[in-house]
Amino acid sequence: MTALSSTVARLFGRFVAEVEGAPRAQFTFAPTTAEEAAAILDFASEHRMSVVPWGGGTHQIGAPHEPDVVVSTRALGGVDWRPDDLTVVVGAGVTVADLEAKLGERGQTAVLPENAGAATVGGVVAAGVSGWRRLRFGPTRDRLLEVVVATGDGRVIRAGGQVVKNVSGYDLPRLFTGSLGSLGIITRVCLKLWPQGAAAATVVVADPERALAVAHRPQAVLQTASEVSVYLAGTAAEVEAQAAALDGRATEGLHWPERPRGAVEIVVRVPPAMVTEAVALIASANFVAAHGVGEVIAAGPVSEETVAAWRTWAEAEAGSVVVTRAPAGFAIDPWGAPPPALVLQRRIKAAFDPLGVMVPGRLPGGL
Amino acid sequence: MAVPRLVADLVAALGADAVKAEPLDLWLFSKDAGVTRGEVRAVTFPEDAAGVAAVIRVAKRHGIPVVARGAGTGLAGGAVPADPAVLIVTMRMNRIEVDAANRTAWVGPGVINLDLSRHTAPLGLHFAPDPSSQAACTIGGNVANNSGGPHCLAEGSTVNHVLAVEFVDGDGMIQVVGGPAPDPNGLDVRGVMVGSEGTLGLITRVLVRLSPVPPAVRTMLFAFADVAGAAATVSDVIAAGVVPAALEMMDRPLIRAVENFVHAGLPVDAAAVLLAEVAGHPAGIAAEADLIIATGRRHGAFDVRVAADEAERELLWKARKSAFGAIAQIAPNYYLHDTVVPRTRLVEVLEEIYAIARRYDLLVLNTIHAGDGNLHPKFVYDGSVPDQVRRVKEAAGEIVRLSLAVGGTLSGEHGIGLEKRDLMPLLFGAVDLDAQARLREAFDPDRRFNPGAVLPSGSRCFDFGRAAIGSPSDQVSAQSGADT
């Protein structure tokens, strides 16, 4: 046993964990509090050990393959739901599916991704992933009221607050949303909730652009290779009237498409008006296109050259093509062109992770 | 008197018609709509980002901070320089470029909030955040403060409606963060710029999301014999799973002041009124309106007035948004806070606010964004009476502590500015404030931008966490080639 591993055993032995699916690491921990997570990160910073935070493992874009430390959030639990305030405080390790099932008991939702599988709340927030209902409710980051984070250098910080409207200090909750673990580990969040609506329907239509013009603030307008569906929710009278106006084939409830899976998975992001063009471009792949939002998720046996060509087109339209999953040896950067203000991005990362131990290289631009 | 070197350099950079530095100018621009006065060395009116960059370069050479100012309607001193500074007034940066297909617009920070919605109305679109000062306040100020307004209950605050921000940094470089496509790659710098109160850079252009004008609207005014009934109605409507477009409350002293001012036919015998609005699909709003009316009646509403037409609706909203003007009839000064409490705690918090006012022998008037739990208790007073000022400040401080004690926050939409800066430690611990200070330092290591605002001095504490190897400035200069 090396000196380092005996020190780790002495300090963090009770957090050692086995986490299925996580990358092989020198140490794998599952802390139970923000303070414990911070102590682990303080130690990692001191010893310059690279860290990968791990929730459900569903959005592991650009992570180092052999980190020194994996920190699982699964023991960071707890749900403090305040249904009359339409808010919930939830531990990072709670799964999206468990949270949404609970909120659904009183007809509420955090509007996190549907059919989220093993994804955790902390993971979805860290990955900045939104659900299909984003057209109506905005992205996940618009639900973040408060975060508690263990920073890369082992501080526990809290920002935002547990009320629905707050401008006290900088909006760190939004900064941490989509930061992909690069600043620290989100240990707890407070989310704003929405009523689901008493009734819901899915209406299959012919023309997505007509649907966007006819329907008033639908939950989503999604196009797959086989059909275009409009998702409605609200009072029974409203859903019925909107479905009639859409003049399509309506069924009760919200029937979400499966997220496309394949050897290569990509997300095309473009200004909303470009979605139809994006669909024409990638029609050969299995896809779900979110009209009105500007996002097309696609999967299939796509070559590097094809991804590069789509990326060239999207970036010219002020968009991006992100490769979220690819086989080993797929020789293309997951992000494409580095974001503007890269120096600023680097400095912001250093403010929270000064020694650069958190998922080094994961962010665009190699940060 | 010789023209100071600073002013001469600004005139050389911008032209004489874009710089003011007469004593009267400096005095007029040294204050916003709040109570704090600062010290201004020159007032500049650049027309674009290049002009802003020129001002910032001059300020850097002279080692003086810059403070951004829109229409000066802020209530927290966010546009008031704590230390002598150059003011950058954004009013001449007032272009609007609409992208109808994407429902967005690039907007200059000097565009007035209501002008933007008027401009896009022919397309059936509007800018959702609607502060009560929307006829005067600017988009730049809205972005800087993450402003709200009655309709942010359902639509969210300004940050939910900003897709990209162009700003000038401390080196005079123009940066653009965010973009028209969803979820731009990298850290969400755009989200941090919104609500940063001019402390991270100077905003020169904003890409905003425009929202469809709802096809149907119903506006209702409820009169209650007691405040508790109105507050309980708010709690029960939210708990029933209805998020109306707006849910606003006013209490008797304010109702009377406003009615005297606007003549909207408000029920002056009511202890409180609730202004509720539902908006959306015609079939949807009917059911929501029915639920709100039934809830209001259950909690003792003795009168329910539904606006018959757009003119009546506008009159009711005018009444709500005229609170500040109306108050001027009662006393020369007012002082207010902007705390937010969990909406379920409204009844008890309001009762305690009245008790505080009684203890300090003060008149308090309340307008409340009740659906959000956002309080605006206004103490009216006469600033020439020294003891009144002391009592007002002490009473306001008690309201802040009360709000925080029930799990609330310091400011919901007005910002921290100078006014509430020193209250931040009531809300955040030293490590939290240090983290905010580090973020600020990452943007503005020279403390060029509004250095007195938001964080109390001493927030940056070097006792926490670890330092990077090599100074931050070393890292930046090594990387700056890659950023252009």
Side-chain angles (χ1 to χ4, degrees):
Chain A
M1 194 184 241
T2 63
L4 183 65
S5 56
S6 71
T7 306
V8 166
R10 184 168 51 81
L11 291 175
F12 306 116
R14 67 203 153 102
F15 310 129
V16 169
E18 299 249 337
V19 178
E20 201 186 321
R24 192 206 312 253
Q26 204 177 342
F27 305 106
T28 300
F29 300 116
T32 64
T33 66
E35 288 70 22
E36 291 167 3
I40 291 166
L41 297 184
D42 176 56
F43 186 86
S45 271
E46 184 176 342
H47 293 277
R48 311 286 192 276
M49 299 163 90
S50 60
V51 180
V52 170
W54 193 266
T58 52
H59 291 91
Q60 289 299 322
I61 182 172
H65 294 297
E66 290 183 9
D68 297 318
V69 180
V70 165
V71 179
S72 163
T73 59
R74 71 180 182 203
L76 297 165
V79 176
D80 178 6
W81 179 23
R82 296 132 192 203
D84 293 350
D85 272 320
L86 282 170
T87 59
V88 67
V89 178
V90 54
V94 174
T95 67
V96 168
D98 284 352
L99 177 66
E100 290 287 12
K102 188 177 176 104
L103 300 175
E105 289 168 11
R106 278 189 61 179
Q108 298 185 1
T109 173
V111 207
L112 295 173
E114 303 78 7
N115 306 327
T120 59
V121 172
V124 160
V125 170
V129 180
S130 300
W132 301 123
R133 291 167 288 174
R134 175 181 188 154
L135 179 63
R136 171 64 186 83
F137 296 104
T140 294
R141 68 182 75 243
D142 286 353
R143 240 87 60 219
L144 260 281
L145 300 175
E146 182 186 65
V147 289
V148 176
V149 173
T151 64
D153 61 347
R155 293 167 277 146
V156 176
I157 62 170
R158 181 183 63 81
Q162 298 180 3
V163 287
V164 293
K165 191 176 179 190
N166 188 3
V167 298
S168 311
Y170 299 115
D171 198 340
L172 296 185
R174 274 190 173 72
L175 180 67
F176 280 97
T177 308
S179 63
L180 288 160
S182 66
L183 309 177
I185 298 175
I186 297 168
T187 61
R188 191 185 84 192
V189 296
C190 177
L191 301 172
K192 180 178 182 171
L193 305 177
W194 284 92
Q196 286 179 346
T202 305
V203 186
V204 176
V205 300
D207 179 355
E209 290 179 16
R210 177 183 174 271
L212 277 178
V214 169
H216 178 71
R217 306 192 78 170
Q219 309 269 303
V221 177
L222 301 182
Q223 180 175 5
T224 64
S226 54
E227 60 194 16
V228 176
S229 300
V230 183
Y231 297 82
L232 304 169
T235 62
E238 176 189 344
V239 169
E240 198 177 316
Q242 294 237 61
L246 282 165
D247 190 22
R249 178 163 49 83
T251 48
E252 204 179 312
L254 302 172
H255 310 291
W256 302 112
E258 287 298 314
R259 192 182 168 95
R261 297 288 174 200
V264 178
E265 294 175 10
I266 63 164
V267 182
V268 180
R269 299 193 171 108
V270 287
M274 303 301 299
V275 169
T276 299
E277 262 184 70
V279 165
L281 199 66
I282 65 159
S284 61
N286 177 19
F287 70 89
V288 179
H291 284 274
V293 169
E295 194 167 71
V296 185
I297 298 173
V302 187
S303 71
E304 284 109 317
E305 292 73 26
T306 307
V307 171
W310 292 350
R311 180 173 277 168
T312 302
W313 172 80
E315 288 180 356
E317 301 291 346
S320 63
V321 172
V322 178
V323 180
T324 51
R325 181 192 166 101
F330 197 73
I332 190 163
D333 182 87
W335 301 104
L342 193 59
V343 172
L344 183 56
Q345 300 246 342
R346 188 182 306 277
R347 294 169 61 137
I348 294 171
K349 175 163 166 67
F352 298 93
D353 177 31
L355 293 158
V357 298
M358 299 305 301
V359 281
R362 170 183 270 180
L363 285 183
L367 299 190
Chain B
M1 196 178 91
V3 176
R5 186 65 189 274
L6 170 70
V7 175
D9 286 356
L10 289 169
V11 168
L14 280 191
D17 72 329
V19 181
K20 286 178 187 282
E22 293 298 321
L24 179 59
D25 302 322
L26 302 182
W27 190 77
L28 284 173
F29 279 93
S30 65
K31 192 176 166 301
D32 62 10
V35 297
T36 311
R37 192 174 287 282
E39 195 177 341
V40 177
R41 287 288 155 83
V43 187
T44 63
F45 300 85
E47 289 177 9
D48 53 22
V52 169
V55 174
I56 288 169
R57 283 194 292 267
V58 170
K60 183 174 181 165
R61 217 156 58 231
H62 285 266
I64 188 170
V66 298
V67 173
R69 179 187 174 98
T73 57
L75 291 160
V80 177
D83 297 306
V86 173
L87 221 53
I88 297 180
V89 180
T90 59
M91 294 301 290
R92 290 188 190 172
M93 293 188 275
N94 58 2
R95 285 188 58 175
I96 301 174
E97 298 159 74
V98 177
D99 176 349
N102 284 304
R103 293 179 173 176
T104 61
W106 275 106
V107 180
V111 170
I112 289 170
N113 174 295
L114 194 56
D115 286 351
L116 175 58
S117 288
R118 285 191 179 136
H119 187 90
T120 59
L123 299 166
L125 299 171
H126 74 298
F127 183 61
D130 64 334
S132 294
S133 57
Q134 71 181 135
C137 67
T138 61
I139 297 295
N142 295 166
V143 173
N145 290 297
N146 190 16
S147 301
H151 287 86
C152 77
L153 174 57
E155 300 293 331
S157 297
T158 298
V159 68
N160 293 13
H161 305 275
V162 171
L163 298 171
V165 175
E166 177 191 87
F167 67 98
V168 180
D169 69 15
D171 293 323
M173 302 295 289
I174 299 168
Q175 311 269 7
V176 180
V177 292
D183 302 331
N185 288 344
L187 297 171
D188 185 9
V189 181
R190 164 215 65 103
V192 177
M193 286 302 295
V194 181
S196 62
E197 304 196 35
T199 63
L200 302 182
L202 208 125
I203 294 170
T204 50
R205 229 160 46 115
V206 187
L207 181 66
V208 299
R209 182 202 312 281
L210 300 169
S211 304
V213 175
V217 178
R218 193 168 299 175
T219 307
M220 296 155 280
L221 188 77
F222 298 78
F224 290 89
D226 57 49
V227 171
T233 300
V234 172
S235 291
D236 278 8
V237 166
I238 297 293
V242 170
V243 180
L247 206 45
E248 298 287 308
M249 192 172 148
M250 296 187 278
D251 67 0
R252 176 160 20 216
L254 195 87
I255 296 165
R256 293 190 169 170
V258 166
E259 181 55 23
N260 207 28
F261 189 63
V262 179
H263 311 295
L266 301 182
V268 291
D269 50 341
V273 297
L274 203 58
L275 183 62
E277 186 163 279
V278 290
H281 193 274
I285 66 165
E288 291 184 354
D290 289 349
L291 183 139
I292 297 170
I293 290 171
T295 309
R297 290 209 188 279
R298 197 167 70 241
H299 289 291
F302 63 81
D303 185 37
V304 181
R305 170 176 164 195
V306 180
D309 52 25
E310 185 58 23
E312 188 175 2
R313 173 176 177 264
E314 277 181 12
L315 184 63
L316 291 176
W317 276 113
K318 187 180 174 196
R320 165 61 189 86
K321 294 188 176 182
S322 298
F324 289 113
I327 283 174
Q329 308 167 104
I330 300 174
N333 303 95
Y334 62 81
Y335 186 81
L336 83 162
H337 271 294
D338 171 40
T339 62
V340 186
V341 298
R343 25 203 174 189
T344 44
R345 309 295 290 270
L346 266 180
V347 177
E348 61 186 289
V349 167
L350 270 173
E351 281 168 0
E352 189 54 35
I353 285 174
Y354 290 125
I356 291 169
R358 279 195 301 273
R359 274 207 299 283
Y360 286 90
D361 190 23
L362 292 165
L363 176 59
V364 65
L365 299 85
N366 281 289
T367 50
I368 305 162
H369 301 306
D372 287 323
N374 188 189
L375 306 162
H376 294 328
K378 299 166 186 65
F379 290 111
V380 292
Y381 67 102
D382 182 345
S384 64
V385 183
D387 185 52
Q388 277 207 351
V389 179
R390 179 192 61 80
R391 280 186 284 136
V392 162
K393 291 211 164 172
E394 282 179 19
E398 284 206 29
I399 290 178
V400 168
R401 285 188 289 277
L402 162 70
S403 302
L404 301 188
V406 299
T409 195
L410 269 180
S411 178
E413 55 181 10
H414 294 173
I416 299 299
L418 303 179
E419 273 288 298
K420 296 164 222 156
R421 178 190 64 190
D422 295 328
L423 300 173
M424 286 285 273
L426 296 177
L427 187 58
F428 293 113
V431 181
D432 306 328
L433 289 174
D434 170 71
Q436 304 224 5
R438 284 181 195 230
L439 177 71
R440 178 183 195 150
E441 200 173 271
F443 281 83
D444 181 27
D446 299 336
R447 298 185 64 78
R448 180 77 48 222
F449 296 102
N450 207 2
V454 183
L455 295 177
S457 63
S459 292
R460 183 72 177 91
C461 177
F462 293 88
D463 294 346
F464 304 122
R466 295 170 184 279
I469 306 161
S471 73
S473 56
D474 286 343
Q475 293 180 3
V476 172
S477 55
Q479 290 297 327
S480 56
D483 198 46
T484 47

